[in-house]
Amino acid sequence: RKDAPGLTDGVDKLMEKGPDTNQAPDVYYNYYATQVIHHIGGAQFRKWDNRLRPALIDSQQKKGVMAGSWTPENAHADDKGGRLYPTAMKCMTLEVYDRDLPIYGNKASSDEFPLD
């Protein structure tokens, strides 16, 4: 349940911290925190997304042979993953809306739905 005390406390802490939009962001944190906030939805997700999305897009390489990718900046496997790691993580973060499995939808499993 979205109103479970442990979940709401965790979401409140994530919202207080916000997405990492520093010069060298933690892409691992951003990806998983964005998923949590997306599943909560509503005003909290809009606020989160309005901060994170522009930072991701603005930091993307715009010209040259590396256009469309992101430069490795720090932490979590950048030293081993090179340009591929932050590019993959940031793309998946931007696609969080499209990556939901049907079981994570807003309808409860007990709701009626047509079987075609």
Side-chain angles (χ1 to χ4, degrees):
R1 295 182 44 107
K2 290 181 180 182
D3 61 353
L7 181 59
T8 58
D9 289 349
V11 168
D12 289 346
K13 284 181 175 45
L14 288 173
M15 291 301 296
E16 184 179 315
K17 180 176 179 177
D20 186 352
T21 58
N22 294 318
Q23 185 67 28
D26 182 343
V27 295
Y28 188 84
Y29 164 80
N30 278 342
Y31 175 64
Y32 285 103
T34 298
Q35 283 195 24
V36 170
I37 303 300
H38 173 64
H39 288 301
I40 294 302
Q44 288 174 308
F45 181 68
R46 285 189 298 279
K47 180 179 178 182
W48 183 276
D49 193 52
N50 287 338
R51 285 185 60 199
L52 181 58
R53 179 171 290 275
L56 290 175
I57 293 169
D58 290 347
S59 66
Q60 190 175 29
Q61 192 72 38
K62 306 284 190 288
K63 296 180 180 176
V65 296
M66 300 299 178
S69 68
W70 282 268
T71 302
E73 295 146 334
N74 83 344
H76 292 297
D78 280 356
D79 59 328
K80 292 179 180 51
R83 184 170 289 275
L84 180 61
Y85 178 75
T87 298
M89 292 300 291
K90 290 176 181 185
C91 282
M92 290 190 307
T93 302
L94 287 168
E95 296 172 346
V96 75
Y97 323 95
D98 303 321
R99 300 179 65 77
D100 280 345
L101 293 172
I103 62 169
Y104 295 121
N106 287 328
K107 294 186 72 128
S109 61
S110 60
D111 289 347
E112 290 294 322
F113 61 95
L115 295 174
D116 296 336

